[in-house]
Amino acid sequence: MKKLFKNIGPGPLVAAAFIGPGTVTVCTLAGVGFGYSLLWVMLLSIVAAVVLQEMSARLGVISQKGLSQIIRTEIKHPILKTFTIVLVLSAIVIGNAAYEAGNITGGVLGLQTIIGRPNIEIDGVSINILSAIIGLIAFGLLYKGNYKLLEKVLIGLVILMSLSFLVTAIITKPSISEIFRGVFIPKVSNDGLLTVIGLIGTTVVPYNLFLHTSLVKEKWQRESDLKYARNDTVIAIVLGGLVSMCIIISGAAIQSQGIDSVLGLAKGLEPLFGSFAKYFLAMGLFAAGITSAITAPLAAAYVASGCLGWHSNLKSKKFRAVWMFILFLGVLFSSLAINPIDIIKFAQVANGVLLPVIAGFLIWIVNKPSVLGIHKNNIKQNIFGFIILGISILLSVATLNKVFQLNIF
């Protein structure tokens, strides 16, 4: 057991990255609107995330390079390379800047449920000081530049988040038989299609592929460490998926269409299951918000460093400048309650296009003996990889259809 905990590493950080306030909200709406019937989507998402993240982890351990670094060196065609780098920078750096406000706001909402809303007025402008507090916590941990400290803090927050949502789900006393039916019998209506897209899109996210390859080389440098990286990935992603399922199960306890957010769920649970349910849910939302508020700027800094050929050291000035910029924008938008709708819409489109591009590139690169040698993909890994690539293409088309209302289906 001691050896197992010693070799827990980037996996929980990746889980922390994909279980942010957006995931909590989407899972809440899935539970409220469709009960247990979309739990199978989370099972599919877990499998897809495990397959792609394992490829990312293997690539990082063996090559000792980040995914964005490998894009720069392995894509030889200048036009294709430029297109890919611009797309990656747009989706990850600009996108994470937009989403950062939502991450910080999610953490703030969790705290507000417990301690209230302490605002200050400056020249008629109301500023939420909790946004600044969460921003300072994230700043301190990132500026310290100590990977081991960052890892321990995030693992602690992930454990808090997991226990909070698990306890919330248990309090609602769900039907075990209905849960199994929802997990293993796929069913979706036309009304639930966008929710299905949302559940997959919040679990299988492009920036986690970049984050994972960069983080594993901070933790492991030897080929023999590959088994630890794999175990770490599988355990963390599966547990992260189970946390998402717990949120759906909690949402299913409230059969009301008037709930459109996790705070609505918290208020809806209180009269049925007591104030404890509300507080557990609030703690989970706080942990989800602050972990994503840390990992999103970190991922953006790794991506920018790799794409632009910078040294990706946690303490380098250029690396720090990127995550500081992302974090600053997040705190600003969150504290002033500014909603960067146009930037978020752009980030949605860029991420929708990016996922199949990066999934395809990842599958291509992990099949190259010149990069991975004997650790390149086997036939089974390729079969799963290409199935997931097909799903990501459908997800991309669905995202574009949603944003631009193309009425493709």
Side-chain angles (χ1 to χ4, degrees):
M1 186 63 70
K2 185 178 179 182
K3 191 174 183 180
L4 176 66
F5 278 104
K6 182 183 177 182
N7 286 291
I8 289 177
L13 276 67
V14 171
F18 79 71
I19 308 176
T23 303
V24 175
T25 300
V26 170
C27 290
T28 297
L29 298 180
V32 170
F34 304 96
Y36 305 129
S37 66
L38 295 184
L39 286 172
W40 66 270
V41 181
M42 281 312 307
L43 180 62
L44 174 66
S45 300
I46 291 168
V47 173
V50 165
V51 171
L52 291 179
Q53 297 296 161
E54 186 279 331
M55 290 183 192
S56 297
R58 182 163 24 110
L59 184 61
V61 172
I62 301 301
S63 71
Q64 287 296 295
K65 292 179 182 178
L67 184 54
S68 51
Q69 286 178 278
I70 297 172
I71 285 175
R72 275 185 64 251
T73 56
E74 292 296 326
I75 299 180
K76 306 300 181 185
H77 194 286
I79 296 176
L80 182 59
K81 178 188 286 191
T82 301
F83 168 77
T84 306
I85 287 175
V86 169
L87 180 62
V88 168
L89 286 172
S90 299
I92 306 299
V93 179
I94 298 175
N96 280 13
Y99 295 139
E100 183 68 357
N103 294 331
I104 293 173
T105 300
V108 167
L109 291 174
L111 281 181
Q112 283 180 182
T113 305
I114 300 171
I115 65 174
R117 183 173 181 171
N119 282 11
I120 57 172
E121 296 281 338
I122 300 178
D123 291 331
V125 178
S126 179
I127 298 175
N128 190 327
I129 61 171
L130 291 179
S131 296
I133 291 171
I134 288 178
L136 285 172
I137 293 170
F139 180 91
L141 288 169
L142 288 168
Y143 192 83
K144 182 74 174 174
N146 185 323
Y147 172 75
K148 289 185 178 179
L149 174 64
L150 196 63
E151 183 182 83
K152 287 177 181 177
V153 171
L154 286 174
I155 287 173
L157 287 168
V158 168
I159 291 171
L160 171 64
M161 174 173 63
S162 303
L163 290 175
S164 297
F165 290 128
L166 176 62
V167 170
T168 304
I170 291 171
I171 286 173
T172 64
K173 298 179 181 177
S175 166
I176 302 300
S177 60
E178 288 294 321
I179 289 174
F180 274 96
R181 194 173 290 115
V183 170
F184 296 108
I185 301 177
K187 183 172 63 174
V188 63
S189 62
N190 288 335
D191 292 341
L193 183 60
L194 287 182
T195 306
V196 169
I197 294 167
L199 288 172
I200 298 173
T202 56
T203 308
V204 189
V205 288
Y207 91 72
N208 265 351
L209 301 176
F210 291 93
L211 182 64
H212 208 166
T213 51
S214 297
L215 290 178
V216 289
K217 62 188 179 66
E218 300 276 353
K219 176 82 174 181
W220 297 296
Q221 288 80 39
R222 297 191 303 271
E223 193 174 319
S224 58
D225 292 330
L226 191 56
K227 59 183 177 182
Y228 300 124
R230 280 179 171 144
N231 291 338
D232 175 63
T233 300
V234 173
I235 292 170
I237 300 298
V238 170
L239 288 178
L242 291 176
V243 168
S244 296
M245 286 185 175
C246 285
I247 301 168
I248 295 175
I249 291 166
S250 301
I254 308 295
Q255 298 303 316
S256 168
Q257 297 303 314
I259 294 173
D260 59 1
S261 70
V262 71
L263 284 186
L265 175 60
K267 291 174 183 175
L269 287 173
E270 188 171 12
L272 293 175
F273 305 107
S275 60
F276 284 114
K278 179 181 77 171
Y279 290 127
F280 278 115
L281 201 63
M283 285 191 291
L285 181 59
F286 164 71
I290 197 168
T291 52
S292 293
I294 294 168
T295 53
L298 187 63
Y302 274 124
V303 167
S305 298
C307 286
L308 300 174
W310 301 341
H311 185 51
S312 59
N313 186 296
L314 288 170
K315 295 184 178 181
S316 73
K317 290 182 179 179
K318 291 178 179 178
F319 189 91
R320 281 176 168 171
V322 175
W323 66 252
M324 282 181 185
F325 173 71
I326 304 292
L327 186 58
F328 170 76
L329 286 183
V331 172
L332 180 66
F333 288 146
S334 176
S335 60
L336 298 179
I338 298 171
N339 190 5
I341 294 295
D342 291 334
I343 301 176
I344 289 174
K345 186 178 284 190
F346 169 78
Q348 277 185 316
V349 175
N351 271 304
V353 175
L354 183 65
L355 181 57
V357 171
I358 297 305
F361 176 80
L362 185 61
I363 292 169
W364 170 63
I365 205 69
V366 293
N367 275 285
K368 294 189 73 170
S370 60
V371 177
L372 287 179
I374 62 170
H375 298 288
K376 69 183 184 69
N377 266 15
N378 56 37
I379 294 174
K380 185 173 72 173
Q381 288 167 327
N382 277 331
I383 290 172
F384 277 110
F386 279 110
I387 290 172
I388 292 162
L389 178 60
I391 293 171
S392 72
I393 291 171
L394 291 175
L395 182 64
S396 176
V397 172
T399 303
L400 294 173
N401 181 58
K402 174 187 172 185
V403 173
F404 292 112
Q405 298 180 340
L406 300 175
N407 296 318
I408 295 174
F409 47 77

